Amino acid sequence: MARRQGSHGDITGPRVRAAALRLFARHGYAAVSMRQIAAEVGLQAGALYLYTPDKQSLLADLMVGHLDHLLAARAALPPLGGPAERLDQFARFHVNYHLDRPEAVFIAYMELRNLEPANFARVEALRRAYEEGVAQILRDGQAAGVFAPCDVRLASYALIAMLTGVTNWYREGGRLSRDQVAADHAALALRAVGAAPLSPAPAAG
Amino acid sequence: MARRQGSHGDITGPRVRAAALRLFARHGYAAVSMRQIAAEVGLQAGALYLYTPDKQSLLADLMVGHLDHLLAARAALPPLGGPAERLDQFARFHVNYHLDRPEAVFIAYMELRNLEPANFARVEALRRAYEEGVAQILRDGQAAGVFAPCDVRLASYALIAMLTGVTNWYREGGRLSRDQVAADHAALALRAVGAAPLSPAPAAG
DNA sequence: GTCTATACGATGATAGAC
DNA sequence: GTCTATCATCGTATAGAC
């Protein structure tokens, strides 16, 4: 291994990715220039190419990194027994995770079409693995008779879309607390598949 | 009124908008050039400016036009009495409408950040009016005691997000028919707010 | 109504000085 | 490791011929 002397790469690299994340989320991949990213970090445009082979790799790394982290975070949840408990747990996890990382989430959903085919395939595989986790909960719940029969794949997509939608409107410090929002979404998800919410329903509004 | 002689504007204008719709949906507003749009219609880049003042107006017109049409289509639905019937009708309408116009829908959801403030405000007002229609159904249902109490605005956003999510994965000619998909989503929506689906539940899958 | 030609700046990426 | 300078290309939009 070559020894790096006096390198700032270990710190500048992450700063480049963080700047790209912020700018891509705000303006879109296609609308952001390498010069803007460089300016955000305090570099010249040319220096960026020490940290990424090109703009496309920057996007792909952000998306793959996000999905890797998302899958790892879900895998680290405490194991629960019943399907209803697991769906409740998943819904709260998904909402909270997404509200914690609005920029990474936004990019992961909006910039798929800007991925080159090879990168798209990697990302799609990760997205599919995430969706499969929900599908498995639904299958188990139907087998146990606690969820209403319905097409599992359709329902998985629908639930994920519903839970992800929270990022479109939720603003920190608004009328609803984050826990309230997560709990409400968990209740909607459980009822949608025919199970009763685990905690008491919130007041109407 | 000035009289136009030998003008092709009446036919070329719509073709320009159609080409822009297709390209914006496929590659994103920022990634599409005026040259590409012109090539798609068979014009030179400069000639586009006979049909739109600039690229931004092209986007704004597409989005406002889409939302105007969406609101008009919903307003034209046959009036129904009960909240459950109205939510079922809305869910099927929303799914079918969105599956009919995937490109316009995609743009309306993805390109909001590329609208200049004045255009954004126009579009937001229309989106808000659409969401308010759902909120009213939920309020009526809660008042009638047929829907579970829950935050109406949160639930409206969640339901619309769920129903719109169908555009992310549904492909014509796939495993599920369009009517099946619309019916399943209507069932999920009704159950989510605590009401029983109106038609028999489909088989598990 | 459409064309060609063009203004003028920004783009992603590279080469080589320091 | 970062800079400056540069390349070839592309971007939106306009002017003026036909």
Side-chain angles (χ1 to χ4, degrees), chain A residues 87-103:
Chain A
L87 185 56
D88 179 81
Q89 178 193 49
F90 169 76
R92 291 171 194 261
F93 160 76
H94 186 96
V95 168
N96 274 305
Y97 189 98
H98 280 54
L99 290 182
D100 278 336
R101 293 162 189 80
E103 294 173 330

Side-chain angles (χ1 to χ4, degrees), chain A residues 1 27 41 49 52 62 69 75 86 104 126 159 168 178 180 183 194 205:
Chain A
M1 293 267 206
H27 307 293
V41 184
Y49 292 85
T52 180
L62 288 174
H69 192 271
R86 284 158 60 204
L126 293 169
L159 290 181
N168 292 332
R178 181 190 281 251
Q180 178 81 59

Side-chain angles (χ1 to χ4, degrees), chain B residues 6-8 12 43-44 50-51:
Chain B
S7 164
H8 298 174
T12 306
L43 296 181
Q44 297 297 322
L50 296 171
Y51 307 101

Side-chain angles (χ1 to χ4, degrees), chain A residues 6-8 12 43-44 50-51:
Chain A
S7 165
H8 299 174
T12 307
L43 297 179
Q44 297 297 323
L50 296 170
Y51 306 102

Side-chain angles (χ1 to χ4, degrees), chain B residues 50-67:
Chain B
L50 296 171
Y51 307 101
T52 180
D54 51 27
K55 193 185 177 189
Q56 169 71 201
S57 301
L58 214 40
L59 177 63
D61 285 351
L62 288 174
M63 294 184 71
V64 169
H66 163 66
L67 288 167

Side-chain angles (χ1 to χ4, degrees), chain B residues 159-177:
Chain B
L159 290 181
I160 291 176
M162 181 179 78
L163 297 173
T164 304
V166 74
T167 58
N168 293 331
W169 59 269
Y170 184 79
R171 296 295 172 262
E172 215 68 48
R175 186 171 56 88
L176 299 167
S177 78

Side-chain angles (χ1 to χ4, degrees), chain B residues 12 15-16 19 34-45 47-48:
Chain B
T12 306
R15 289 186 64 219
V16 167
M34 294 297 267
R35 286 192 224 277
Q36 282 176 270
I37 299 172
E40 190 90 351
V41 184
L43 296 181
Q44 297 297 322
L48 283 183

